[in-house]
Amino acid sequence: MLSQLIKDSLEQCIHKVAASLGTPGISPVTVALEQPVSVDHGDYSSNIAMQLAKTLRKAPVAIAELIIAELKQSGSANGLLQRIEVAAPGFINMYIDWQEWARAEFALPLAAGEKVIVEHTSVNPNKSMHIGHLRNSCIGDALVRILRKTGHTVEVHNYVDDLGNQLADTVVGLLNVPLAGEHVRFGDYCWDIYAEINKEYALHPETVHKRTGILHALEEGNGNTAWIGRLVAGQIVKEHVEEMRNFGIDYDLLVWESSILKEGFWTSAFDLLAQTDVFVQETEGKLAGCWILKQQAGDGTGQDTEEEHQKDKVLVRSNGILTYTAKDIAYHLWKFGLLDKDFAYSAFSSGLWTTGWSGEALPFGHADRVVNVIDYRQEYPQAMVKQAFQALGYNEQAERLHHVSYGVVSLSPASAAGLGIDTSGGKSSYAMSGRQGIGIKVTELVRLMEDTIEATRSDKNGLSSRLIATAAIRYYLLRFNLGTEIVFDFKQAMEISGNTGVYLMYAYARASRVLSKGETLRDSGGLNGGDNASGASNASGASNASGGSIANGGSKGLPLFPPHLEPAELALLKQLSLWQDTLYMASRELTPNTICNYAHSLAALFSNFYSACPILKGEADSITFRLWLTRCFTDTLGEALDVLGLPKPERM
């Protein structure tokens, strides 16, 4: 990475300067770089000299001059720094030699084959998915793509809670609630059944005991009720998997909660926890008879939070039924290879395996890191899993267990009204509730957006309207900061300007047309003619899988850079140079929206370059350079679209 190479060069020079000043033993220095807003202040700048003034007992400007002299003596960061200057009160401003940058090769820090298990989607198998569930899947799949792009070995899990309250309620409804109507899929029928049984519970609270009986039957795993539950969950999971494949989302393994019980995972986890002093059975109070995980002293948990999360710390209820957290602890011990047990694996569908009653031994699990994509409401139960690991002495694994938390999705008033939801209350957003049957199913949303796109587009020879719709939805759910609660508006998601997936795909297609026209002009020997917007629909060239398309392939046939870069050319080059840094940061911080922000800025800068710098007009050298820059743009934006799970259209 460019920034890392500059940082390493600066750090080496700093140690040499410190040694020359008689301070060789200074503690390790971490150099921070920034990109100044003004081009007059360089492409990169550092205030490290000011930070070292007290330690080295010299004025910041003098320290900066010594560091610069050492930088120049050592080769100016492999020749990448064309000019280095000092600016008061001690900034080091560095100007990149962009011709050398284009010629150089960069690499991301190696992941050393680290295996990461990413668990995402994990929707209760009791009804069709809604758009809130889809945000989870899109975030999880983007993280999978980012981690694979940065050299990690990734195993993707979808956890199926086939022993939970939600499935039990659906089974109760199927056995007790008569329902008729038009339903295309079984999950849609169960959507209505689930809402109806919850209405029944509200009207007749005494009927809730039916859920408990079903839960016991599901956990026992035999008999009519257990088989009904298994068939219901199996069909709905099949529909979920097919639905996610329409979005380009796949899994390696379905992990069924019932398998965790059948294989004795919880029994082994219970035996381990019983040896600690934090896993106890309460003998009095509201939780009498329950096995709980006690709060650790000094964890900062207040009384209000303690009362709020009393149910979350229960692992085994007084009636003997396990909580979700208990099974999650056992599951995570297996993920890290800390249990002496394994599942049996069988094929669920092409390329997808499932845990089950029988099967073969396969090398799943044994992760170096675990990433769980679960909304913010599950923060406390996730913390309980970590606490269990710490109590068992697995502190390293606890540090490598990451909860990617995100905000929930609600509907804008316009979107809610379009779906027939009563918006007379004048709310700013409308939350979805499976129990009340309020929300938008993923299939309904795709169909609605597909129909709208199909009715309004003039050119229907490019991407299908369905593919545009799924890409627009996916990007909209990824572009917000993870903690943001999204108010989904399908009209905004389809806009062709602004920070949308449609805008990015249009930018890619536009650049592809320019490249195709450039190939035609080159073949005809007429490089001095043409215009930006014309041309055929094929883009030549391809990106690579290194995480840095420009420096690892774009330099083939490298043109001579002009002596003076236009502002739009320089701005685009700078953004292109940040791709590896952005990708690496997203993989470290687990933030897909970082890629969205980068891609949108890149597309906007290309649009400005396209308008300000006629690509296919002018002198041959200028055309050649600008076509090369356009090629770098398509390679880099193409990689960003890949990790976001969006198509790379040659024509929209």
Side-chain angles (χ1 to χ4, degrees):
M1 300 188 300
L2 174 61
S3 66
Q4 191 61 50
L5 191 151
I6 295 173
K7 287 180 183 178
D8 291 344
S9 297
L10 279 170
E11 289 171 7
Q12 292 169 14
C13 293
I14 288 165
H15 285 293
K16 290 181 180 179
V17 168
S20 71
L21 295 174
T23 318
I26 64 170
S27 49
V29 176
T30 301
V31 175
L33 294 180
E34 65 175 23
Q35 286 196 305
V37 175
S38 172
V39 295
D40 294 334
H41 297 157
D43 298 308
Y44 284 97
S45 182
S46 176
N47 66 352
I48 189 63
M50 288 178 276
Q51 295 180 39
L52 292 171
K54 185 176 181 180
T55 302
L56 299 182
R57 299 179 181 179
K58 289 185 80 68
V61 170
I63 295 171
E65 288 173 344
L66 290 172
I67 293 172
I68 289 173
E70 192 62 49
L71 264 175
K72 291 178 179 178
Q73 179 68 28
S74 63
S76 297
N78 294 351
L80 287 166
L81 300 180
Q82 186 178 58
R83 193 164 94 248
I84 317 169
E85 298 175 347
V86 177
F91 288 101
I92 299 173
N93 295 339
M94 294 159 279
Y95 300 80
I96 301 298
D97 184 329
W98 292 105
Q99 183 88 53
E100 286 300 316
W101 166 80
R103 189 177 289 118
E105 291 192 5
F106 302 95
L108 290 168
L110 294 176
E114 182 182 57
K115 181 175 182 179
V116 185
I117 289 179
V118 177
E119 178 194 335
H120 69 80
T121 303
S122 304
V123 178
N124 290 309
N126 70 313
K127 57 183 172 58
S128 294
M129 294 176 67
H130 60 60
I131 190 174
H133 300 135
L134 185 58
R135 187 182 190 195
N136 180 305
S137 303
C138 291
I139 292 169
D141 186 63
L143 290 176
V144 169
R145 292 166 182 264
I146 289 168
L147 290 168
R148 284 177 175 160
K149 186 71 173 174
T150 50
H152 298 81
T153 299
V154 185
E155 185 174 291
V156 189
H157 290 195
N158 183 349
Y159 183 81
V160 183
D161 183 5
D162 59 335
L163 300 179
N165 287 342
Q166 289 78 6
L167 178 60
D169 286 342
T170 295
V171 173
V172 172
L174 289 168
L175 295 175
N176 295 277
V177 176
L179 180 68
E182 296 291 332
H183 297 89
V184 176
R185 300 180 306 162
F186 181 61
D188 297 342
Y189 180 78
C190 290
W191 175 289
D192 291 340
I193 280 286
Y194 184 65
E196 288 299 317
I197 192 60
N198 277 281
K199 289 178 185 176
E200 182 71 16
Y201 290 158
L203 292 172
H204 306 287
E206 70 278 5
T207 62
V208 176
H209 76 276
K210 295 179 180 179
R211 173 198 293 162
T212 303
I214 296 294
L215 280 173
H216 276 299
L218 294 177
E219 285 199 2
E220 288 171 2
N222 48 49
N224 292 2
T225 302
W227 275 108
I228 291 172
R230 200 170 300 141
L231 291 169
V232 170
Q235 176 58 30
I236 291 177
V237 168
K238 180 182 177 182
E239 292 177 5
H240 288 173
V241 169
E242 291 174 350
E243 204 163 27
M244 290 304 94
R245 280 183 176 158
N246 291 330
F247 282 85
I249 297 172
D250 292 299
Y251 315 93
D252 297 310
L253 181 65
L254 299 174
V255 177
W256 296 76
E257 192 172 276
S258 56
S259 298
I260 290 175
L261 286 189
K262 175 185 176 295
E263 300 297 339
F265 284 22
W266 169 245
T267 301
S268 294
F270 183 97
D271 292 341
L272 290 173
L273 288 168
Q275 299 173 36
T276 73
D277 57 2
V278 298
F279 185 55
V280 298
Q281 187 174 34
E282 293 281 23
T283 57
E284 57 185 25
K286 293 180 180 179
L287 302 180
C290 297
W291 285 89
I292 69 165
L293 200 62
K294 291 196 301 183
Q295 291 294 318
Q296 294 176 331
D299 68 350
T301 303
Q303 181 62 32
D304 291 342
T305 304
E306 173 71 9
E307 292 178 359
E308 179 185 349
H309 293 298
Q310 273 191 331
K311 293 181 180 179
D312 293 323
K313 69 180 182 180
V314 173
L315 302 188
V316 186
R317 299 186 182 97
S318 59
N319 59 8
I321 292 179
L322 302 181
T323 64
Y324 177 91
T325 306
K327 289 166 281 195
D328 216 25
I329 290 170
Y331 176 31
H332 282 81
L333 287 170
W334 170 83
K335 283 183 180 180
F336 281 106
L338 300 174
L339 290 182
D340 58 351
K341 296 182 180 298
D342 200 0
F343 296 107
Y345 305 98
S346 57
F348 185 84
S349 61
S350 177
L352 176 60
W353 294 86
T354 179
T355 62
W357 301 97
S358 61
E360 57 186 290
L362 292 171
F364 286 113
H366 299 278
D368 298 303
R369 265 206 298 162
V370 169
V371 174
N372 295 329
V373 183
I374 307 175
D375 76 53
Y376 76 94
R377 295 170 296 188
Q378 296 300 312
E379 183 175 349
Y380 190 87
Q382 285 288 296
M384 298 303 291
V385 176
K386 272 199 172 189
Q387 183 183 327
F389 270 64
Q390 291 163 345
L392 292 169
Y394 298 130
N395 295 302
E396 182 179 348
Q397 287 84 353
E399 287 298 314
R400 289 173 165 267
L401 174 57
H402 308 282
H403 172 207
V404 177
S405 173
Y406 63 91
V408 297
V409 182
S410 57
L411 299 171
S412 71
S415 294
L419 295 166
I421 296 172
D422 181 10
T423 58
S424 59
K427 297 180 182 178
S428 60
S429 64
Y430 291 83
M432 286 173 281
S433 170
R435 288 185 173 86
Q436 298 177 44
I438 298 174
I440 178 168
K441 303 181 187 74
V442 172
T443 51
E444 290 178 352
L445 177 64
V446 172
R447 184 167 56 251
L448 178 64
M449 291 184 65
E450 178 187 8
D451 291 346
T452 303
I453 292 169
E454 186 69 16
T456 56
R457 64 189 300 198
S458 56
D459 183 359
K460 301 181 181 180
N461 294 317
L463 291 180
S464 69
S465 296
R466 174 172 285 266
L467 197 53
I468 294 173
T470 56
I473 295 167
R474 184 178 175 116
Y475 186 83
Y476 193 92
L477 295 174
L478 288 174
R479 73 179 178 90
F480 295 93
N481 290 335
L482 290 174
T484 302
E485 295 193 18
I486 295 178
V487 179
F488 189 89
D489 188 290
F490 66 84
K491 289 185 178 179
Q492 288 181 6
M494 294 186 292
E495 289 177 353
I496 61 174
S497 61
N499 192 4
T500 69
V502 177
Y503 176 71
L504 297 189
M505 293 186 292
Y506 266 117
Y508 186 90
R510 169 183 282 179
S512 298
R513 291 197 303 271
V514 171
L515 290 173
S516 180
K517 180 64 176 178
E519 291 292 335
T520 301
L521 291 174
R522 183 177 292 111
D523 292 343
S524 65
L527 271 179
N528 289 310
D531 60 76
N532 287 353
S534 62
S537 60
N538 288 325
S540 60
S543 61
N544 57 68
S546 67
S549 59
I550 302 164
N552 294 276
S555 62
K556 293 179 180 179
L558 182 66
L560 182 66
F561 278 38
H564 173 73
L565 291 169
E566 296 294 331
E569 294 170 333
L570 179 59
L572 183 56
L573 273 170
K574 283 186 175 182
Q575 184 71 5
L576 289 167
S577 74
L578 292 176
W579 169 235
Q580 285 187 326
D581 296 85
T582 304
L583 180 61
Y584 181 68
M585 182 173 65
S587 74
R588 297 287 296 174
E589 299 180 356
L590 302 174
T591 50
N593 59 289
T594 300
I595 305 293
C596 295
N597 294 336
Y598 172 86
H600 175 245
S601 295
L602 181 65
L605 288 170
F606 175 77
S607 179
N608 183 49
F609 161 71
Y610 177 87
S611 299
C613 304
I615 299 171
L616 300 178
K617 289 182 179 179
E619 297 297 325
D621 286 348
S622 173
I623 294 174
T624 300
F625 169 71
R626 289 174 178 173
L627 281 173
W628 174 85
L629 193 52
T630 303
R631 163 82 59 234
C632 292
F633 167 75
T634 56
D635 286 349
T636 305
L637 181 60
E639 289 189 5
L641 292 174
D642 282 340
V643 297
L644 293 173
L646 271 63
K648 297 181 292 187
E650 296 175 349
R651 181 173 182 174
M652 285 290 287

